[in-house]
Amino acid sequence: KGLHGWEKMSSTTTTLLFPSRRRYPTVEIRAETFNGSTHVPVPSDSTFLRALLFELRLLNDHVFVEHRDTCTRINHSSVYSVRTEGGDLWPVLAFRKSGLIYACLPLVEETLEPRPPLLTVSGLSQGLALLLGIVDYISPSQKNEAEMSAKIGQLRNLLIQACPLGTPLNTNIRSLNSSFDDIQEMPTDENQPAWRSNAYKGKPQVNVCITEKVKSMQYDKRDVVDLWQVYGAVNCKCDIEGSAPNVTLSLNLPTNGPPLQDIVVHHCVTSVDPAMLMSSSAKPLDDSVYSGPYKFPFVPPSDSFNLCYYTSQVPVPPILGSYQLIEEGSQLKITVNLKLHESIKNSFEYCEARIPFFNRGPIAQLEYKVSYGQLDLSREKSLLVWVLGQKFPKSLEVSLTGTVSFGTAGKEHPTDYVCTGNTAYVKLYFRIPDFTLTGCYVDQHSVQIFAPGKPKITASGELISSDYYIWNSKAPAPMVYKTLLD
């Protein structure tokens, strides 16, 4: 994360092939913050190169140097401590491959005294992956000097994509090769933010997708409160010319729609109404809660990003269910009822209910009746999958009844320390395209782009289930809960 480069070796000389190494000031500041008094500044290129070669015994190898050559210090890894005038730089990741030395200095996000175990330094694996990506990119051209020279010339642009701010985002350097011409080596405009590394050229277009995930815990009991929550994310991809284009996007709610809460915005947002950020799901709703429109002015990154996250307290879950599992002798009797709320769009990409059976053997016998859809048995014979398809019937209600008996349990069958006895659940999986539970939407006509050309605006939404559980009402709830007070 701190730097990376490589040197070419021969029997008499060593040449720095990538002389202007990548330094990340933000990472160096973080290192100084983490390491405190133990921080060792990164020296100049030439100083670091000599220190590294000395440590690798490529300089003065005929001279015995105790701290380097003593038999009590045998290095079993590619991680070195490089001695400089300012102190020992550690951990320096370096290795030789086909006559080249590849090296980087990862960030250690903790104090360096005492030195932490290598396995706890996540930057080492990230740095190694990045260096191996460079090896994969460089190695095929090593026999062709002109081709290798051209690749080295492209590498700086590729590293801006692969590791823009010091954290590797894509270590497959070869896969980035086709798009390096679209990357600026340095911003041509001093107002261009660091997160806009690409210089887009073409017709302006903005794609916005609102993804809402709904979680639910349903018990079908008088003394237990059912819970559900919505989590939303607004993903944007803005292909707009200019070094720092300004975009304003508004999220809208239908009349009497539940307000958005716990809003967190991306760092590219330039300003926001404080009232928008004050709404918290930890507090009860009142008439003063900000209910939109929610305006976000921002300078978009070059790639896809999440403009904001939010939660919402919707009045009803999209699917209300009940599950009853009763043990009678060697058999289990199950009953599942599901009802789609009338306000929900009855058009699914997929919808299914999965009914697992823990701590039991394989299903040996199954008799069932479904009012709608199809029931399948998993290959392991420990899971029933009720496929409801893309629509509920006109009544918006479906049911499943059946009896299940089991064979002898084996190691391959699922176990669970929580779901013992009759404590069990049904888990729902579904996705509804072009729909949000809150009703939140982007008005395409309200998107403002202060850049040349008429942009193409595309907006969509989706609702996806996440941890959507319906617990057996004939068994104790498997978690601590508290009654909501008025």
Side-chain angles (χ1 to χ4, degrees):
K1 290 184 179 179
L3 70 146
H4 41 76
W6 59 94
E7 297 78 33
K8 184 176 182 179
M9 300 180 299
S10 69
S11 58
T12 58
T13 61
T14 303
T15 305
L16 189 65
L17 292 184
F18 192 32
S20 182
R21 75 181 169 202
R22 290 293 288 139
R23 291 185 77 141
Y24 298 97
T26 54
V27 179
E28 293 189 39
I29 291 172
R30 291 177 63 197
E32 189 172 356
T33 302
F34 278 118
N35 303 332
S37 60
T38 61
H39 177 68
V40 177
V42 182
S44 64
D45 284 1
S46 58
T47 302
F48 175 79
L49 174 57
R50 283 188 61 84
L52 177 61
L53 294 178
F54 184 83
E55 179 62 30
L56 295 176
R57 296 181 175 86
L58 298 174
L59 279 182
N60 298 332
D61 58 337
H62 60 284
V63 178
F64 177 80
V65 180
E66 185 172 355
H67 83 270
R68 181 191 68 177
D69 301 319
T70 175
C71 5
T72 59
R73 185 173 180 246
I74 300 176
N75 203 344
H76 296 285
S77 71
S78 297
V79 180
Y80 299 89
S81 177
V82 175
R83 181 160 295 186
T84 68
E85 289 185 5
D88 290 352
L89 277 175
W90 182 91
V92 175
L93 179 60
F95 58 87
R96 285 177 275 184
K97 179 73 174 178
S98 303
L100 298 179
I101 302 174
Y102 297 82
C104 72
L105 179 58
L107 174 68
V108 179
E109 298 180 305
E110 55 186 301
T111 58
L112 292 175
E113 296 294 342
R115 286 183 181 174
L118 294 181
L119 289 176
T120 65
V121 182
S122 60
L124 282 173
S125 57
Q126 295 178 27
L128 179 60
L130 184 62
L131 291 181
L132 291 177
I134 296 174
V135 171
D136 183 59
Y137 171 71
I138 291 291
S139 292
S141 307
Q142 283 193 244
K143 294 182 179 179
N144 187 323
E145 199 167 316
E147 184 180 342
M148 185 172 178
S149 179
K151 282 196 171 184
I152 291 172
Q154 300 168 9
L155 189 62
R156 172 169 293 279
N157 295 324
L158 298 177
L159 288 175
I160 290 175
Q161 299 177 71
C163 193
L165 295 175
T167 300
L169 302 180
N170 187 348
T171 57
N172 187 356
I173 307 298
R174 186 187 293 182
S175 70
L176 303 173
N177 190 27
S178 60
S179 60
F180 78 94
D181 285 331
D182 296 331
I183 305 300
Q184 298 176 193
E185 180 171 340
M186 292 295 291
T188 57
D189 189 330
E190 62 180 9
N191 295 321
Q192 179 170 338
W195 58 84
R196 279 190 66 80
S197 57
N198 290 18
Y200 176 78
K201 293 186 181 298
K203 185 177 180 180
Q205 52 187 355
V206 176
N207 294 303
V208 185
C209 179
I210 302 175
T211 298
E212 291 188 349
K213 294 185 177 181
V214 56
K215 296 186 177 184
S216 184
M217 292 284 176
Q218 299 180 28
Y219 303 98
D220 190 30
K221 291 186 176 185
R222 291 185 178 181
D223 58 339
V224 184
V225 178
D226 292 346
L227 303 173
W228 57 90
Q229 180 68 284
V230 179
Y231 302 85
V234 181
N235 184 268
C236 299
K237 179 70 167 69
C238 302
D239 294 324
I240 306 170
E241 292 186 1
S243 59
N246 289 296
V247 180
T248 299
L249 183 147
S250 295
L251 300 180
N252 298 274
L253 293 173
T255 305
N256 299 324
L260 307 184
Q261 298 176 284
D262 305 320
I263 298 175
V264 179
V265 300
H266 191 273
H267 59 75
C268 72
V269 176
T270 55
S271 64
V272 69
D273 190 328
M276 187 191 305
L277 304 179
M278 294 297 291
S279 180
S280 171
S281 58
K283 301 175 182 178
L285 294 173
D286 56 46
D287 296 336
S288 64
V289 171
Y290 192 87
S291 57
Y294 304 87
K295 289 190 175 182
F296 301 92
F298 59 95
V299 178
S302 306
D303 299 318
S304 175
F305 71 104
N306 286 330
L307 177 65
C308 69
Y309 300 90
Y310 61 84
T311 66
S312 183
Q313 301 181 42
V314 294
V316 292
I319 298 177
L320 190 64
S322 66
Y323 177 36
Q324 294 184 356
L325 182 150
I326 302 173
E327 193 163 2
E328 293 186 353
S330 60
Q331 288 186 332
L332 294 181
K333 286 191 174 183
I334 60 171
T335 303
V336 184
N337 294 296
L338 302 175
K339 181 177 181 180
L340 180 69
H341 194 270
E342 58 186 10
S343 64
I344 306 302
K345 180 182 178 183
N346 189 10
S347 179
F348 295 78
E349 179 181 310
Y350 58 85
C351 182
E352 65 183 38
R354 299 183 185 181
I355 311 170
F357 297 95
F358 299 105
N359 311 308
R360 304 175 188 275
I363 295 176
Q365 187 174 359
L366 171 65
E367 296 180 2
Y368 69 92
K369 179 181 180 182
V370 292
S371 66
Y372 190 79
Q374 175 182 335
L375 189 67
D376 296 326
L377 178 62
S378 69
R379 182 181 300 177
E380 298 79 13
K381 297 185 178 182
S382 59
L383 174 71
L384 297 180
V385 181
W386 184 11
V387 180
L388 297 170
Q390 297 178 325
K391 277 185 176 293
F392 272 64
K394 289 185 178 181
S395 63
L396 303 182
E397 296 185 37
V398 295
S399 63
L400 159 68
T401 57
T403 57
V404 186
S405 58
F406 303 89
T408 305
K411 292 183 179 179
E412 70 277 10
H413 295 284
T415 59
D416 193 288
Y417 295 107
V418 175
C419 297
T420 58
N422 288 352
T423 299
Y425 61 76
V426 174
K427 189 173 183 180
L428 299 188
Y429 296 82
F430 58 81
R431 178 181 181 269
I432 306 178
D434 302 317
F435 178 80
T436 58
L437 192 55
T438 61
C440 182
Y441 67 96
V442 175
D443 183 357
Q444 299 184 24
H445 301 290
S446 70
V447 178
Q448 299 178 335
I449 300 177
F450 302 94
K454 186 177 180 181
K456 178 184 177 181
I457 311 295
T458 304
S460 61
E462 60 181 355
L463 177 66
I464 302 174
S465 63
S466 173
D467 296 331
Y468 205 104
Y469 293 92
I470 301 170
W471 292 92
N472 178 23
S473 61
K474 297 297 183 181
M479 60 191 67
V480 176
Y481 65 91
K482 58 182 180 179
T483 306
L484 299 179
L485 301 177
D486 295 333

